Amino acid sequence: MLVSSNTLLKDARDKGYAFPHFNYWDSNSIRAEIAAAEELGLPVILAWAEKHSPEIGIDDALALGKYFGSKAKVPVVLHLDHGTDPELVKYGIDNGFTSVMMDASDKDIEENIEITKDIVKYAHTRGVVVEAEIGHVGTNETEDNSMYTEVDAAVRFSKETQVDSLAVSIGTSHGVYKQGTPKLNFERLVELRKAVSIPLALHGGSSSGDDNLEKAVNRGITKVNIYTDLANAALFEAKKDYHTETEMALAQREAMKKLAIHYYEVFGTDSYCYQILK
Ligand code: 13P
Ligand code: ZN
């Protein structure tokens, strides 16, 4: 069943746990993520990111997401991740995503507000929820232009845009870290959580360290985005010596599923979210 993330994220915020957000890029990854959620009996956020367009375009991603999402035995949020092109985000809203991220975090705050406001209006009249980003979570391999989220800016941004959830930058980056686990600014996170009433999302969850992620969740993060760790789990299996393609694909699916279950446990989803399904 496809659902909105609103109730889920609000429940997580109230009770102090988080939902994992898993990116999918093919049928094996989406099956693994749904299998993990079904094994635990928990809702799942499945996300296709605009940057995956060369590998899988929006229409194919929507077809996969809607097909597997509607036959899943658990609630599924179908999320468009890091949409940088407002036209593509509107297309996603019109064609089946139940949640979208309008990412104008590389623009100045005025422009970010204008672009996000417009998408929020468009999405809300169509029953779709919106995440936006303020500050900037960079990428380790190609750039390192991360910028911490300022508290005043976050307050102003959420008020003026009426966005449903906010991605904040507190020291994580997309991809694998060059040196160990990152140092996160928990103090800033606590201030943000106090000042902003909407759910907060943490991008760049992979390789951030379970301890860091658990602390971030305890201090107010309600959704943690995971992509690279899942892709690397599949890659690790691909390097092993399997006799058939099928054997390899199933091993990859199992490895991704195990990792997804692990993250549900780290974020406390498995302990607190039971009531939602009742
Ligand atoms: P990682 O690839 O670092 O897990 O980041 C995922 C993400 O933020 C997707 O939006
Ligand atoms: Zn991200």
Side-chain angles (χ1 to χ4, degrees), residues 145-183:
N145 57 353
S146 295
M147 249 168 34
Y148 283 150
T149 305
E150 305 286 345
V151 179
D152 290 350
V155 171
R156 180 183 162 208
F157 187 88
S158 61
K159 229 183 241 161
E160 291 189 23
T161 60
Q162 290 298 303
V163 74
D164 301 280
S165 65
L166 198 58
V168 293
S169 176
I170 54 161
T172 55
S173 293
H174 291 103
V176 173
Y177 298 90
K178 287 180 191 126
Q179 283 176 332
T181 52
K183 188 168 163 33

Side-chain angles (χ1 to χ4, degrees), residues 11-20 170 184 186 189-190 193 200-202 205 209-226 263-270 272:
D11 187 74
R13 187 184 148 95
D14 290 349
K15 299 202 190 103
Y17 69 94
F19 281 95
I170 54 161
L184 304 190
F186 292 118
L189 174 58
V190 170
R193 166 72 169 77
L200 304 178
L202 185 68
D210 291 350
D211 204 37
N212 265 337
L213 294 177
E214 207 182 317
K215 279 189 187 140
V217 171
N218 290 338
R219 286 159 181 73
I221 290 293
T222 302
K223 177 176 84 109
V224 182
N225 292 17
I226 305 284
Y263 277 123
Y264 273 111
E265 288 164 359
V266 173
F267 306 154
T269 336
D270 62 326
Y272 293 105

Side-chain angles (χ1 to χ4, degrees), residues 21 23 49 51 81-82 101 103 131 133 137-139 167 173-174 202-205 223 225-227:
H21 143 141
N23 286 88
K51 74 164 186 184
D81 190 25
H82 289 290
M101 176 189 192
D103 183 1
E131 173 185 333
E133 179 167 324
V137 179
T139 305
S173 293
H174 291 103
L202 185 68
H203 283 244
K223 177 176 84 109
N225 292 17
I226 305 284
Y227 162 58

Side-chain angles (χ1 to χ4, degrees), residues 81-99:
D81 190 25
H82 289 290
T84 60
D85 172 2
E87 288 313 308
L88 187 82
V89 174
K90 286 182 180 169
Y91 182 85
I93 292 167
D94 289 336
N95 287 282
F97 284 107
T98 62
S99 165

